[in-house]
Coordinates of all heavy atoms in Angstrom, one line a residue:
A297 N 6.8 207.9 -5.6 CA 7.6 207.9 -4.5 C 8.4 206.5 -4.3 O 9.6 206.6 -4.1 CB 6.9 208.2 -3.2
H298 N 7.7 205.5 -4.6 CA 8.4 204.2 -4.5 C 9.5 204.1 -5.6 O 10.6 203.6 -5.2 CB 7.4 203.0 -4.7 CG 8.1 201.7 -4.7 ND1 8.5 201.1 -3.5 CD2 8.3 200.9 -5.7 CE1 9.1 200.0 -3.9 NE2 8.9 199.7 -5.2
E299 N 9.2 204.6 -6.7 CA 10.1 204.6 -7.8 C 11.4 205.4 -7.4 O 12.5 205.0 -7.7 CB 9.5 205.2 -9.1 CG 10.4 205.3 -10.3 CD 9.6 205.9 -11.5 OE1 8.4 206.0 -11.5 OE2 10.4 206.3 -12.5
L300 N 11.2 206.6 -6.8 CA 12.3 207.4 -6.4 C 13.1 206.8 -5.2 O 14.3 207.0 -5.1 CB 11.8 208.9 -6.1 CG 11.2 209.6 -7.2 CD1 10.6 211.0 -6.6 CD2 12.3 209.9 -8.3
Q301 N 12.4 206.0 -4.4 CA 13.0 205.4 -3.3 C 13.9 204.3 -3.7 O 15.0 204.1 -3.2 CB 11.9 204.9 -2.3 CG 12.5 204.4 -0.9 CD 11.4 204.1 0.1 OE1 10.3 204.1 -0.3 NE2 11.8 203.8 1.3
V302 N 13.5 203.5 -4.7 CA 14.3 202.4 -5.2 C 15.6 203.0 -5.9 O 16.6 202.4 -5.8 CB 13.5 201.6 -6.3 CG1 14.3 200.7 -7.1 CG2 12.4 200.8 -5.6
A303 N 15.4 204.2 -6.5 CA 16.6 204.8 -7.1 C 17.5 205.6 -6.1 O 18.6 206.1 -6.4 CB 16.1 205.8 -8.2
E304 N 17.0 205.5 -4.9 CA 17.7 206.2 -3.7 C 17.8 207.7 -3.8 O 18.6 208.4 -3.3 CB 19.0 205.6 -3.5 CG 19.2 204.2 -3.2 CD 20.6 203.6 -3.0 OE1 21.5 204.3 -3.3 OE2 20.6 202.4 -2.7
F305 N 16.7 208.2 -4.4 CA 16.6 209.7 -4.6 C 15.7 210.3 -3.4 O 15.8 211.5 -3.2 CB 15.9 210.1 -5.9 CG 16.8 209.8 -7.1 CD1 16.2 209.7 -8.4 CD2 18.1 209.6 -7.0 CE1 16.9 209.4 -9.5 CE2 18.9 209.4 -8.1 CZ 18.3 209.3 -9.3
V306 N 15.0 209.5 -2.7 CA 14.2 209.9 -1.5 C 14.2 208.9 -0.6 O 14.4 207.7 -0.8 CB 12.7 210.3 -2.0 CG1 12.6 211.3 -3.0 CG2 12.0 209.0 -2.4
I307 N 13.9 209.4 0.7 CA 13.7 208.5 1.8 C 12.2 208.7 2.2 O 11.7 209.8 2.2 CB 14.6 208.9 3.0 CG1 16.1 208.8 2.7 CG2 14.3 208.0 4.3 CD1 16.9 209.4 3.7
S308 N 11.5 207.6 2.6 CA 10.2 207.6 2.9 C 9.9 207.1 4.3 O 10.5 206.2 4.7 CB 9.4 206.7 1.9 OG 8.0 206.6 2.2
Y309 N 9.2 207.9 5.0 CA 8.8 207.6 6.4 C 7.3 207.5 6.5 O 6.6 208.5 6.2 CB 9.2 208.8 7.4 CG 10.7 209.1 7.3 CD1 11.1 210.2 6.4 CD2 11.7 208.4 8.0 CE1 12.5 210.5 6.4 CE2 13.0 208.8 7.9 CZ 13.4 209.8 7.1 OH 14.7 210.1 7.0
P310 N 6.8 206.3 6.8 CA 5.4 206.0 6.9 C 4.8 207.0 7.9 O 5.3 207.4 9.0 CB 5.3 204.6 7.3 CG 6.6 203.9 7.0 CD 7.6 205.1 7.1
M311 N 3.5 207.5 7.6 CA 2.8 208.4 8.6 C 1.5 207.6 9.0 O 0.9 207.0 8.3 CB 2.5 209.7 7.9 CG 3.6 210.5 7.5 SD 3.2 212.0 6.5 CE 2.1 212.9 7.7
K312 N 1.1 207.8 10.3 CA -0.1 207.3 10.8 C -1.1 208.3 10.9 O -1.3 208.9 12.1 CB 0.1 206.5 12.1 CG 1.0 205.3 11.9 CD 1.3 204.6 13.2 CE 2.2 203.4 13.0 NZ 2.5 202.6 14.2
D313 N -1.6 208.9 9.9 CA -2.5 210.0 9.9 C -4.0 209.7 9.5 O -4.8 210.5 9.3 CB -2.0 211.2 9.0 CG -2.0 210.8 7.6 OD1 -2.2 209.7 7.3 OD2 -1.7 211.7 6.7
G314 N -4.2 208.4 9.4 CA -5.6 207.9 9.0 C -6.0 208.2 7.5 O -7.2 207.9 7.2
S315 N -5.1 208.5 6.7 CA -5.4 208.7 5.3 C -5.7 207.4 4.6 O -5.0 206.4 4.9 CB -4.3 209.5 4.5 OG -3.1 208.8 4.5
P316 N -6.6 207.3 3.7 CA -6.9 206.0 3.1 C -5.9 205.4 2.1 O -5.9 204.3 1.8 CB -8.3 206.3 2.3 CG -8.2 207.7 2.1 CD -7.4 208.3 3.2
F317 N -4.9 206.3 1.7 CA -4.0 205.8 0.7 C -2.6 205.5 1.3 O -1.6 205.3 0.6 CB -3.9 206.8 -0.5 CG -3.6 208.2 0.1 CD1 -2.3 208.7 0.3 CD2 -4.6 209.1 0.3 CE1 -2.0 209.9 0.8 CE2 -4.3 210.5 0.7 CZ -3.0 210.8 1.0
G318 N -2.4 205.5 2.6 CA -1.1 205.2 3.1 C -0.1 206.4 3.0 O 0.9 206.2 2.3
N319 N -0.5 207.5 3.6 CA 0.4 208.6 3.5 C 1.8 208.4 4.0 O 2.1 207.5 4.8 CB -0.2 209.8 4.3 CG 0.3 211.2 3.9 OD1 0.9 211.4 2.8 ND2 -0.2 212.2 4.6
A320 N 2.8 209.2 3.5 CA 4.2 209.0 3.9 C 4.9 210.4 3.8 O 4.5 211.2 3.0 CB 5.0 208.1 2.9
M321 N 5.8 210.6 4.7 CA 6.7 211.8 4.6 C 7.9 211.5 3.7 O 8.6 210.5 3.9 CB 7.1 212.2 6.0 CG 8.0 213.5 6.1 SD 7.1 215.0 5.5 CE 5.8 215.2 6.8
L322 N 8.2 212.4 2.8 CA 9.3 212.1 1.9 C 10.4 213.2 2.1 O 10.1 214.3 2.4 CB 8.8 212.2 0.4 CG 7.6 211.3 0.0 CD1 7.3 211.6 -1.4 CD2 8.1 209.9 0.2
E323 N 11.6 212.7 1.9 CA 12.7 213.6 2.1 C 13.7 213.3 0.9 O 14.1 212.1 0.7 CB 13.5 213.3 3.5 CG 14.6 214.2 3.7 CD 15.4 213.9 5.0 OE1 14.9 213.1 5.8 OE2 16.3 214.5 5.3
I324 N 14.1 214.3 0.2 CA 15.1 214.2 -0.9 C 16.5 213.8 -0.3 O 16.8 214.4 0.7 CB 15.1 215.4 -1.8 CG1 15.8 215.0 -3.1 CG2 15.6 216.6 -1.2 CD1 15.5 216.1 -4.3
T325 N 17.2 213.0 -1.0 CA 18.5 212.6 -0.6 C 19.5 213.4 -1.4 O 19.2 214.1 -2.3 CB 18.8 211.1 -0.8 OG1 18.8 210.9 -2.2 CG2 17.9 210.2 0.0
Q326 N 20.8 213.4 -0.9 CA 21.8 214.1 -1.7 C 22.0 213.4 -3.1 O 22.2 214.2 -4.0 CB 23.2 213.9 -0.9 CG 24.3 214.7 -1.6 CD 24.0 216.2 -1.6 OE1 23.5 216.8 -0.6 NE2 24.1 216.9 -2.7
K327 N 21.7 212.1 -3.2 CA 21.8 211.6 -4.5 C 20.6 212.1 -5.4 O 20.9 212.4 -6.6 CB 21.6 210.0 -4.4 CG 21.8 209.3 -5.7 CD 21.8 207.8 -5.5 CE 22.0 207.1 -6.8 NZ 21.9 205.6 -6.5
G328 N 19.5 212.4 -4.9 CA 18.4 213.0 -5.7 C 18.8 214.5 -6.0 O 18.5 214.9 -7.1
L329 N 19.3 215.2 -5.1 CA 19.7 216.5 -5.4 C 20.8 216.6 -6.5 O 20.8 217.4 -7.4 CB 20.3 217.2 -4.2 CG 19.2 217.6 -3.1 CD1 19.9 218.0 -1.8 CD2 18.2 218.6 -3.6
D330 N 21.8 215.6 -6.4 CA 22.8 215.5 -7.4 C 22.3 215.2 -8.8 O 22.7 215.7 -9.8 CB 23.9 214.5 -7.0 CG 24.7 214.9 -5.8 OD1 24.7 216.1 -5.5 OD2 25.3 214.0 -5.2
F331 N 21.3 214.3 -8.8 CA 20.6 214.0 -10.0 C 20.0 215.1 -10.7 O 20.2 215.4 -11.9 CB 19.6 212.8 -9.8 CG 18.9 212.4 -11.0 CD1 19.5 211.5 -11.9 CD2 17.6 213.0 -11.4 CE1 18.8 211.2 -13.2 CE2 17.0 212.7 -12.6 CZ 17.6 211.7 -13.4
I332 N 19.2 216.0 -9.9 CA 18.6 217.1 -10.4 C 19.6 218.1 -10.9 O 19.5 218.7 -12.1 CB 17.7 217.8 -9.4 CG1 16.5 216.9 -9.1 CG2 17.3 219.2 -9.8 CD1 15.6 217.3 -8.0
K333 N 20.7 218.3 -10.2 CA 21.7 219.3 -10.6 C 22.3 218.9 -11.9 O 22.6 219.7 -12.8 CB 22.7 219.4 -9.5 CG 23.9 220.4 -9.8 CD 24.8 220.5 -8.6 CE 25.9 221.5 -9.0 NZ 26.9 221.5 -7.8
T334 N 22.5 217.5 -12.1 CA 23.2 217.1 -13.3 C 22.2 217.0 -14.5 O 22.6 217.3 -15.6 CB 23.7 215.7 -13.1 OG1 24.7 215.7 -12.0 CG2 24.4 215.2 -14.3
Y335 N 21.0 216.7 -14.3 CA 20.0 216.4 -15.3 C 18.8 217.3 -15.4 O 17.8 217.0 -16.0 CB 19.5 214.9 -15.2 CG 20.7 214.0 -15.4 CD1 21.2 213.3 -14.3 CD2 21.3 213.7 -16.6 CE1 22.2 212.4 -14.4 CE2 22.3 212.9 -16.8 CZ 22.8 212.1 -15.6 OH 23.8 211.3 -15.8
V336 N 18.9 218.4 -14.8 CA 17.7 219.3 -14.6 C 17.1 219.6 -16.1 O 15.9 219.6 -16.2 CB 18.0 220.6 -13.8 CG1 18.9 221.6 -14.6 CG2 16.7 221.3 -13.5

C-alpha cells in the first residue's frame, strides 16, 4: 500500500481499530485506475 501511495495510485486513511499491524482504509485514485486501464 505504501508503494502504491508513493506512486499516487492509492490514498491511505489510517484506521483506529486496534489491529496490531496498523490497519488503513485504501482508496484507488484516478491515476491508479488509468494505470490499470493502460497496463492491465
Side-chain angles (χ1 to χ4, degrees):
H298 178 72
E299 182 180 344
L300 294 174
Q301 192 173 7
V302 168
E304 299 178 352
F305 292 161
V306 301
I307 299 169
S308 177
Y309 305 97
M311 294 174 62
K312 295 181 180 179
D313 63 354
S315 66
F317 54 83
N319 204 5
M321 182 64 66
L322 304 176
E323 179 180 358
I324 193 166
T325 64
Q326 187 61 49
K327 186 175 180 179
L329 292 170
D330 292 343
F331 178 84
I332 289 172
K333 184 177 178 182
T334 303
Y335 298 104
V336 70

